[in-house]
Amino acid sequence: RRPAPVHSLSGMGALLTVPFSMAASCCGSLLASCCGALACKACGCACITTSRAASVAYILLLSLFVLCALAFGSGGGDIVIFGSGYNSTAEGWLEHMKEQAMGSASSSAESFWNDRFWCKSRHPHGWIICCADVCGGAFSIYRFSFVLAIFFGAMALLTCGTTKFGARAHRGFWIAKICLLLSLLVTTLFIDNSVLQGYREFARYTSFAFLLLQILLLIDFAYSWNERWLAYDEESDVDGLCGWKGAILGSAALLYLGSLVGWVLLYIHFGSSECPAQQTIISLTLIACVVRHLATMHP
């Protein structure tokens, strides 16, 4: 027997898809309710860790965001998911009805969603998440930076006092923090690039306070490190370079070498001949560091 034409089965397909759609909606609602309850319970879990573990977690989180920002900044592009369309090669009336039902249900919503994106002409089938000007280049890095600024700014406000709530907020609620970061990152996709340009200019001038704080922390860490190793050397019975004296001299040599490599990289990547202002700033900073170092070595 010859199979019935597809157009003659459109009414039957629509009739059969009604109970299937109702059952799918019911199951989807139940699944969403269960997932929502589980998510709320997971986000409410304190999951308190030690201070050292919390520091390691924040470092890993920051490193992950930096790596993602670099990846999207250098190789980001249009992000499209769930491509759809009518499959003319499907065999059998059941396959045709399924394709017809899925296409009619998603085409209108897909078109309504994609109309807001300028790159919709490049992706006739599929749901566009963001175009290359949002998910790639410098503005994708601004979005990661903006999310981190909001997150750590909120954490600074929550932990500014020595309270039990501040300690719990700093060392716990990791699932809620991850969900918050992901939500903020998705939200930034709907922020216009002009807003992020304003954030870039704001961060350019207010980052001085952040850099100053980081310098103070590094200086305090260096002094604590030096005093601790000097105390170990005084308590040690080894007078040669095989003990703590050798460790102190070796670490100092490595730091000098790292500083030299850093200055060379600054001149290579930021001190080109087309940027005389940057060359001047790098040179003045280098001279000031050398003078400051010689002053500290003077008895």
Side-chain angles (χ1 to χ4, degrees), residues 222-297:
Y223 274 102
S224 301
W225 181 12
N226 182 61
E227 292 174 358
R228 187 181 300 111
W229 280 23
L230 285 177
Y232 291 159
D233 180 62
E234 293 176 356
E235 296 173 359
S236 177
D237 296 331
V238 180
D239 295 331
L241 295 179
C242 296
W244 287 103
K245 289 185 177 64
I248 294 173
L249 293 176
S251 60
L254 289 177
L255 291 174
Y256 276 119
L257 180 61
S259 177
L260 181 61
V261 172
W263 288 115
V264 173
L265 292 177
L266 283 176
Y267 277 107
I268 293 175
H269 294 284
F270 302 102
S272 60
S273 58
E274 294 82 8
C275 303
Q278 296 182 5
Q279 289 180 347
T280 303
I281 294 175
I282 295 173
S283 300
L284 290 177
T285 307
L286 176 59
I287 294 172
C289 290
V290 172
V291 172
R292 180 69 179 87
H293 177 70
L294 293 177
T296 56
M297 295 180 61

Coordinates of all heavy atoms in Angstrom, one line a residue, residues 222-297:
A222 N 55.3 40.1 52.1 CA 56.8 40.0 51.9 C 57.5 40.2 53.3 O 58.4 39.4 53.6 CB 57.2 41.1 50.9
Y223 N 57.0 41.2 54.1 CA 57.7 41.4 55.4 C 57.4 40.2 56.3 O 58.3 39.7 57.0 CB 57.1 42.7 56.0 CG 57.9 43.9 55.6 CD1 57.4 44.8 54.7 CD2 59.1 44.2 56.2 CE1 58.1 45.9 54.3 CE2 59.9 45.3 55.8 CZ 59.3 46.2 54.8 OH 60.0 47.3 54.5
S224 N 56.2 39.7 56.3 CA 55.9 38.5 57.1 C 56.7 37.3 56.7 O 57.2 36.5 57.5 CB 54.4 38.2 57.0 OG 53.6 39.3 57.5
W225 N 56.8 37.1 55.4 CA 57.6 36.0 54.9 C 59.1 36.1 55.3 O 59.7 35.2 55.7 CB 57.5 36.0 53.3 CG 58.2 34.9 52.6 CD1 58.8 33.8 53.2 CD2 58.4 34.8 51.2 NE1 59.4 33.0 52.2 CE2 59.2 33.6 51.0 CE3 58.1 35.6 50.1 CZ2 59.6 33.2 49.7 CZ3 58.5 35.2 48.9 CH2 59.2 34.0 48.7
N226 N 59.6 37.3 55.1 CA 61.0 37.5 55.5 C 61.3 37.3 57.0 O 62.3 36.7 57.4 CB 61.4 39.0 55.1 CG 62.9 39.3 55.4 OD1 63.8 38.6 54.9 ND2 63.1 40.2 56.2
E227 N 60.4 37.9 57.8 CA 60.6 37.7 59.3 C 60.5 36.2 59.7 O 61.2 35.8 60.6 CB 59.6 38.6 60.0 CG 59.8 40.1 59.8 CD 58.7 40.9 60.5 OE1 57.7 40.2 61.0 OE2 58.7 42.1 60.4
R228 N 59.6 35.5 59.1 CA 59.4 34.1 59.4 C 60.6 33.3 59.1 O 61.1 32.5 59.9 CB 58.1 33.6 58.7 CG 57.8 32.1 59.2 CD 56.6 31.6 58.5 NE 55.4 32.5 58.7 CZ 54.8 33.2 57.8 NH1 55.3 33.3 56.5 NH2 53.8 34.0 58.0
W229 N 61.1 33.5 57.9 CA 62.3 32.7 57.5 C 63.6 33.2 58.2 O 64.5 32.3 58.5 CB 62.5 32.9 56.0 CG 61.6 32.0 55.2 CD1 60.4 31.4 55.6 CD2 61.8 31.5 53.9 NE1 59.9 30.7 54.6 CE2 60.7 30.7 53.5 CE3 62.8 31.6 52.9 CZ2 60.6 30.0 52.3 CZ3 62.7 31.0 51.7 CH2 61.6 30.2 51.4
L230 N 63.7 34.4 58.6 CA 64.8 34.9 59.4 C 64.7 34.2 60.8 O 65.8 33.8 61.4 CB 64.8 36.4 59.5 CG 65.3 37.2 58.3 CD1 65.2 38.7 58.6 CD2 66.7 36.8 58.0
A231 N 63.5 34.1 61.3 CA 63.4 33.4 62.6 C 63.8 31.9 62.5 O 64.4 31.4 63.4 CB 61.9 33.6 63.1
Y232 N 63.4 31.3 61.4 CA 63.8 29.9 61.2 C 65.3 29.8 61.1 O 65.9 28.8 61.6 CB 63.2 29.4 59.9 CG 61.7 29.2 60.0 CD1 60.9 29.1 58.9 CD2 61.0 29.1 61.2 CE1 59.5 29.0 58.9 CE2 59.6 28.9 61.3 CZ 58.9 28.9 60.1 OH 57.5 28.7 60.2
D233 N 66.0 30.8 60.4 CA 67.4 30.7 60.3 C 68.1 30.9 61.6 O 69.1 30.3 61.9 CB 67.9 31.8 59.3 CG 69.4 31.8 59.1 OD1 69.9 30.8 58.6 OD2 70.0 32.9 59.5
E234 N 67.6 31.8 62.5 CA 68.2 32.0 63.8 C 68.0 30.8 64.7 O 68.9 30.5 65.5 CB 67.6 33.2 64.5 CG 67.9 34.5 63.8 CD 67.2 35.7 64.4 OE1 66.4 35.5 65.3 OE2 67.4 36.9 64.0
E235 N 66.9 30.1 64.5 CA 66.7 28.9 65.3 C 67.5 27.6 64.8 O 67.6 26.7 65.5 CB 65.2 28.5 65.4 CG 64.4 29.6 66.1 CD 62.9 29.3 66.0 OE1 62.6 28.3 65.4 OE2 62.1 30.1 66.6
S236 N 67.9 27.7 63.5 CA 68.6 26.6 62.9 C 70.1 26.5 63.3 O 70.7 27.5 63.6 CB 68.5 26.7 61.4 OG 69.2 25.6 60.8
D237 N 70.6 25.3 63.3 CA 72.0 25.1 63.7 C 72.9 25.1 62.5 O 74.1 25.0 62.6 CB 72.2 23.8 64.4 CG 71.5 23.8 65.8 OD1 71.3 24.9 66.3 OD2 71.0 22.7 66.2
V238 N 72.3 25.2 61.3 CA 73.1 25.2 60.0 C 73.5 26.6 59.7 O 72.7 27.5 59.6 CB 72.3 24.6 58.9 CG1 73.1 24.6 57.6 CG2 71.9 23.2 59.2
D239 N 74.9 26.9 59.6 CA 75.4 28.2 59.3 C 75.7 28.4 57.8 O 75.9 29.6 57.4 CB 76.6 28.5 60.1 CG 76.3 28.5 61.6 OD1 75.2 28.8 62.0 OD2 77.3 28.2 62.4
G240 N 75.7 27.4 57.0 CA 76.1 27.5 55.6 C 74.9 27.9 54.8 O 73.8 28.2 55.3
L241 N 75.1 27.9 53.5 CA 74.1 28.2 52.5 C 73.1 27.1 52.3 O 72.2 27.3 51.5 CB 74.7 28.7 51.2 CG 75.5 30.0 51.3 CD1 76.1 30.3 49.9 CD2 74.7 31.2 51.7
C242 N 73.4 26.0 52.9 CA 72.5 24.8 52.7 C 71.2 24.9 53.5 O 70.3 24.1 53.4 CB 73.2 23.5 53.0 SG 74.6 23.2 51.9
G243 N 71.2 25.9 54.5 CA 70.0 26.0 55.3 C 69.1 27.1 54.9 O 68.8 27.3 53.7
W244 N 68.5 27.8 55.9 CA 67.6 28.9 55.6 C 68.2 30.1 54.9 O 67.5 30.8 54.2 CB 66.9 29.3 56.9 CG 65.9 28.3 57.4 CD1 66.1 27.4 58.4 CD2 64.6 28.0 56.8 NE1 65.0 26.6 58.5 CE2 64.0 27.0 57.6 CE3 63.9 28.6 55.8 CZ2 62.8 26.5 57.3 CZ3 62.6 28.1 55.5 CH2 62.1 27.0 56.3
K245 N 69.5 30.3 55.1 CA 70.2 31.4 54.4 C 70.1 31.1 52.9 O 69.9 32.1 52.1 CB 71.6 31.5 54.9 CG 71.8 32.1 56.2 CD 73.2 32.3 56.6 CE 73.4 32.9 57.9 NZ 73.0 32.0 59.0
G246 N 70.4 29.9 52.5 CA 70.3 29.6 51.0 C 68.9 29.7 50.5 O 68.7 30.2 49.4
A247 N 67.9 29.4 51.3 CA 66.5 29.5 50.8 C 66.2 31.0 50.7 O 65.5 31.4 49.7 CB 65.6 28.8 51.8
I248 N 66.6 31.8 51.6 CA 66.4 33.3 51.5 C 67.0 33.9 50.3 O 66.4 34.6 49.5 CB 66.8 34.0 52.8 CG1 66.0 33.5 54.0 CG2 66.7 35.5 52.6 CD1 66.4 34.0 55.3
L249 N 68.3 33.5 50.1 CA 69.0 34.1 48.9 C 68.4 33.5 47.6 O 68.3 34.3 46.6 CB 70.5 33.7 49.0 CG 71.3 34.4 50.1 CD1 72.7 33.8 50.2 CD2 71.3 35.9 50.0
G250 N 68.1 32.3 47.6 CA 67.5 31.7 46.4 C 66.1 32.3 46.0 O 65.9 32.6 44.8
S251 N 65.3 32.5 47.0 CA 64.0 33.1 46.7 C 64.2 34.6 46.3 O 63.5 35.1 45.4 CB 63.1 33.1 48.0 OG 63.7 33.8 49.1
A252 N 65.2 35.3 46.9 CA 65.4 36.7 46.4 C 65.9 36.7 45.0 O 65.5 37.6 44.2 CB 66.5 37.3 47.4
A253 N 66.8 35.8 44.6 CA 67.2 35.7 43.2 C 66.1 35.4 42.3 O 66.0 36.0 41.2 CB 68.3 34.7 43.1
L254 N 65.2 34.5 42.6 CA 64.1 34.2 41.8 C 63.1 35.4 41.6 O 62.6 35.7 40.5 CB 63.3 33.0 42.4 CG 64.0 31.7 42.2 CD1 63.1 30.6 42.9 CD2 64.2 31.3 40.8
L255 N 62.9 36.2 42.7 CA 62.1 37.4 42.6 C 62.7 38.4 41.8 O 62.0 39.1 41.0 CB 61.8 37.9 44.0 CG 60.9 37.0 44.9 CD1 60.8 37.5 46.3 CD2 59.5 36.9 44.3
Y256 N 64.0 38.6 41.9 CA 64.7 39.6 41.0 C 64.6 39.2 39.5 O 64.3 40.0 38.7 CB 66.2 39.7 41.4 CG 66.5 40.6 42.5 CD1 67.1 40.1 43.7 CD2 66.2 42.0 42.4 CE1 67.3 41.0 44.8 CE2 66.5 42.8 43.4 CZ 67.0 42.3 44.6 OH 67.3 43.2 45.7
L257 N 64.7 37.9 39.3 CA 64.6 37.4 37.9 C 63.2 37.6 37.4 O 63.0 38.0 36.2 CB 65.0 35.9 37.8 CG 64.9 35.3 36.5 CD1 65.9 35.9 35.5 CD2 65.3 33.8 36.6
G258 N 62.2 37.3 38.2 CA 60.8 37.5 37.8 C 60.5 39.0 37.6 O 59.8 39.3 36.6
S259 N 61.1 39.9 38.4 CA 60.9 41.3 38.2 C 61.5 41.7 36.9 O 60.9 42.5 36.1 CB 61.5 42.1 39.3 OG 61.4 43.5 39.1
L260 N 62.7 41.3 36.6 CA 63.3 41.6 35.3 C 62.5 41.1 34.1 O 62.3 41.9 33.1 CB 64.8 41.0 35.3 CG 65.6 41.3 34.0 CD1 65.8 42.8 33.9 CD2 66.9 40.6 34.1
V261 N 62.1 39.9 34.2 CA 61.2 39.4 33.1 C 59.9 40.2 32.9 O 59.5 40.5 31.8 CB 60.9 37.9 33.3 CG1 59.9 37.4 32.3 CG2 62.2 37.1 33.3
G262 N 59.4 40.6 34.0 CA 58.2 41.4 34.0 C 58.4 42.8 33.3 O 57.6 43.2 32.5
W263 N 59.5 43.4 33.6 CA 59.8 44.7 32.9 C 60.0 44.5 31.4 O 59.6 45.4 30.6 CB 61.1 45.3 33.6 CG 60.9 45.9 35.0 CD1 61.4 45.4 36.1 CD2 60.0 46.9 35.3 NE1 61.0 46.1 37.2 CE2 60.1 47.1 36.7 CE3 59.1 47.8 34.6 CZ2 59.4 48.0 37.4 CZ3 58.4 48.7 35.3 CH2 58.6 48.8 36.7
V264 N 60.7 43.5 31.1 CA 60.9 43.2 29.6 C 59.6 43.0 28.9 O 59.3 43.5 27.8 CB 61.8 42.0 29.4 CG1 61.9 41.6 28.0 CG2 63.2 42.3 30.0
L265 N 58.7 42.2 29.6 CA 57.4 41.9 29.0 C 56.5 43.2 28.9 O 55.8 43.4 27.9 CB 56.6 40.9 29.8 CG 57.2 39.5 29.7 CD1 56.4 38.5 30.6 CD2 57.2 38.9 28.3
L266 N 56.7 44.1 29.8 CA 56.0 45.4 29.8 C 56.4 46.2 28.6 O 55.6 46.8 27.9 CB 56.2 46.2 31.1 CG 55.4 45.7 32.3 CD1 55.8 46.6 33.5 CD2 53.9 45.9 32.1
Y267 N 57.7 46.3 28.3 CA 58.2 47.0 27.2 C 57.8 46.3 25.9 O 57.5 47.0 24.9 CB 59.7 47.1 27.3 CG 60.2 48.3 28.1 CD1 60.8 48.0 29.4 CD2 60.1 49.6 27.7 CE1 61.2 49.1 30.2 CE2 60.5 50.6 28.5 CZ 61.0 50.4 29.8 OH 61.5 51.4 30.6
I268 N 57.7 45.0 25.8 CA 57.4 44.3 24.6 C 55.9 44.5 24.3 O 55.6 44.8 23.1 CB 57.7 42.8 24.7 CG1 59.3 42.6 24.8 CG2 57.2 42.0 23.5 CD1 59.7 41.2 25.0
H269 N 55.0 44.3 25.2 CA 53.6 44.3 25.0 C 52.9 45.7 25.1 O 51.9 45.9 24.5 CB 52.9 43.3 25.9 CG 53.3 41.9 25.7 ND1 52.8 41.1 24.6 CD2 54.1 41.0 26.4 CE1 53.3 39.9 24.6 NE2 54.1 39.8 25.7
F270 N 53.5 46.6 25.9 CA 52.8 47.8 26.1 C 53.7 49.0 25.8 O 53.2 50.2 25.9 CB 52.4 47.9 27.6 CG 51.5 46.8 28.0 CD1 51.9 45.8 28.8 CD2 50.1 46.8 27.7 CE1 51.1 44.8 29.2 CE2 49.3 45.8 28.1 CZ 49.7 44.8 28.8
G271 N 55.0 48.8 25.5 CA 55.9 50.0 25.3 C 56.4 50.0 23.8 O 57.6 50.3 23.6
S272 N 55.5 49.8 22.9 CA 55.9 49.9 21.5 C 56.2 51.4 21.1 O 55.9 52.3 21.8 CB 54.7 49.4 20.6 OG 53.5 50.1 20.8
S273 N 56.8 51.5 19.9 CA 57.1 52.9 19.5 C 55.9 53.7 19.2 O 56.1 55.0 19.2 CB 58.0 52.7 18.2 OG 57.3 52.0 17.2
E274 N 54.8 53.2 19.0 CA 53.6 54.0 18.7 C 52.9 54.5 20.0 O 52.0 55.2 20.0 CB 52.5 53.1 18.0 CG 52.9 52.7 16.6 CD 53.8 51.5 16.6 OE1 54.0 50.9 17.6 OE2 54.3 51.2 15.5
C275 N 53.5 54.1 21.2 CA 52.9 54.5 22.5 C 54.0 55.1 23.3 O 54.5 54.5 24.3 CB 52.3 53.3 23.2 SG 51.0 52.4 22.2
P276 N 54.4 56.4 23.0 CA 55.4 57.0 23.8 C 55.0 57.3 25.3 O 55.8 57.3 26.2 CB 55.7 58.3 23.1 CG 54.4 58.6 22.3 CD 53.9 57.2 21.9
A277 N 53.7 57.5 25.5 CA 53.2 57.8 26.9 C 53.4 56.6 27.7 O 53.8 56.7 28.9 CB 51.7 58.2 26.8
Q278 N 53.1 55.4 27.2 CA 53.3 54.2 28.0 C 54.8 53.9 28.2 O 55.1 53.4 29.3 CB 52.6 53.0 27.2 CG 51.1 53.2 27.1 CD 50.5 52.0 26.5 OE1 51.1 51.0 26.1 NE2 49.2 52.1 26.2
Q279 N 55.6 54.2 27.2 CA 57.0 54.0 27.4 C 57.5 54.9 28.6 O 58.3 54.5 29.4 CB 57.8 54.3 26.1 CG 57.6 53.3 25.0 CD 58.4 53.7 23.8 OE1 58.8 54.9 23.6 NE2 58.5 52.8 22.8
T280 N 57.0 56.1 28.6 CA 57.4 57.1 29.7 C 57.0 56.6 31.1 O 57.8 56.6 32.0 CB 56.8 58.5 29.4 OG1 57.3 58.9 28.1 CG2 57.3 59.4 30.5
I281 N 55.8 56.1 31.1 CA 55.3 55.6 32.4 C 56.0 54.4 32.9 O 56.4 54.3 34.1 CB 53.8 55.3 32.3 CG1 53.0 56.6 32.1 CG2 53.3 54.6 33.6 CD1 51.5 56.4 31.8
I282 N 56.3 53.5 32.0 CA 57.0 52.2 32.4 C 58.5 52.6 32.8 O 59.0 52.1 33.8 CB 57.1 51.3 31.2 CG1 55.7 50.8 30.9 CG2 58.0 50.1 31.5 CD1 55.6 49.9 29.6
S283 N 59.1 53.5 32.1 CA 60.5 53.9 32.4 C 60.5 54.6 33.8 O 61.4 54.4 34.6 CB 61.0 54.8 31.3 OG 61.1 54.1 30.1
L284 N 59.6 55.5 34.0 CA 59.6 56.2 35.3 C 59.3 55.3 36.4 O 59.9 55.4 37.5 CB 58.5 57.3 35.3 CG 58.8 58.5 34.4 CD1 57.6 59.5 34.4 CD2 60.1 59.3 34.8
T285 N 58.4 54.3 36.2 CA 58.2 53.3 37.3 C 59.4 52.5 37.5 O 59.7 52.2 38.7 CB 57.0 52.4 36.9 OG1 55.9 53.3 36.5 CG2 56.6 51.5 38.0
L286 N 60.1 52.1 36.5 CA 61.3 51.3 36.6 C 62.4 52.1 37.4 O 63.0 51.6 38.3 CB 61.9 50.9 35.3 CG 63.2 50.1 35.2 CD1 63.1 48.9 36.0 CD2 63.6 49.8 33.8
I287 N 62.6 53.4 37.1 CA 63.6 54.2 37.8 C 63.2 54.3 39.2 O 64.1 54.3 40.1 CB 63.7 55.6 37.1 CG1 64.3 55.4 35.7 CG2 64.6 56.5 37.9 CD1 64.3 56.6 34.8
A288 N 61.9 54.6 39.5 CA 61.5 54.7 40.9 C 61.7 53.5 41.7 O 62.1 53.5 42.9 CB 60.0 55.1 40.9
C289 N 61.5 52.3 41.1 CA 61.7 51.0 41.8 C 63.2 50.8 42.1 O 63.5 50.4 43.2 CB 61.1 49.9 40.9 SG 59.3 49.8 40.8
V290 N 64.0 51.1 41.1 CA 65.5 51.0 41.4 C 65.9 51.9 42.5 O 66.7 51.5 43.4 CB 66.2 51.2 40.0 CG1 67.7 51.3 40.3 CG2 65.9 50.2 39.0
V291 N 65.5 53.2 42.4 CA 65.9 54.1 43.5 C 65.4 53.7 44.8 O 66.1 53.7 45.9 CB 65.4 55.5 43.1 CG1 65.6 56.5 44.3 CG2 66.1 56.0 41.9
R292 N 64.1 53.2 44.9 CA 63.6 52.7 46.1 C 64.3 51.5 46.6 O 64.6 51.4 47.8 CB 62.1 52.4 45.9 CG 61.4 51.9 47.2 CD 61.2 53.0 48.2 NE 60.5 52.5 49.4 CZ 61.1 51.9 50.4 NH1 62.4 51.7 50.4 NH2 60.4 51.5 51.4
H293 N 64.7 50.6 45.8 CA 65.4 49.4 46.2 C 66.8 49.8 46.7 O 67.3 49.3 47.7 CB 65.6 48.5 45.0 CG 66.4 47.3 45.3 ND1 65.9 46.3 46.1 CD2 67.6 46.9 44.9 CE1 66.8 45.3 46.2 NE2 67.9 45.7 45.5
L294 N 67.5 50.7 46.1 CA 68.8 51.2 46.5 C 68.7 51.9 47.9 O 69.6 51.7 48.8 CB 69.5 52.1 45.5 CG 69.8 51.5 44.2 CD1 70.4 52.5 43.2 CD2 70.9 50.3 44.4
A295 N 67.6 52.6 48.1 CA 67.4 53.3 49.4 C 67.2 52.3 50.5 O 67.7 52.5 51.6 CB 66.2 54.2 49.3
T296 N 66.5 51.2 50.2 CA 66.3 50.2 51.3 C 67.6 49.4 51.6 O 67.7 48.9 52.7 CB 65.2 49.2 50.8 OG1 65.6 48.6 49.6 CG2 63.9 49.9 50.7
M297 N 68.5 49.3 50.7 CA 69.7 48.6 50.9 C 70.8 49.4 51.6 O 71.8 48.9 52.1 CB 70.3 48.1 49.6 CG 69.5 47.0 48.9 SD 70.2 46.5 47.3 CE 71.7 45.8 47.8

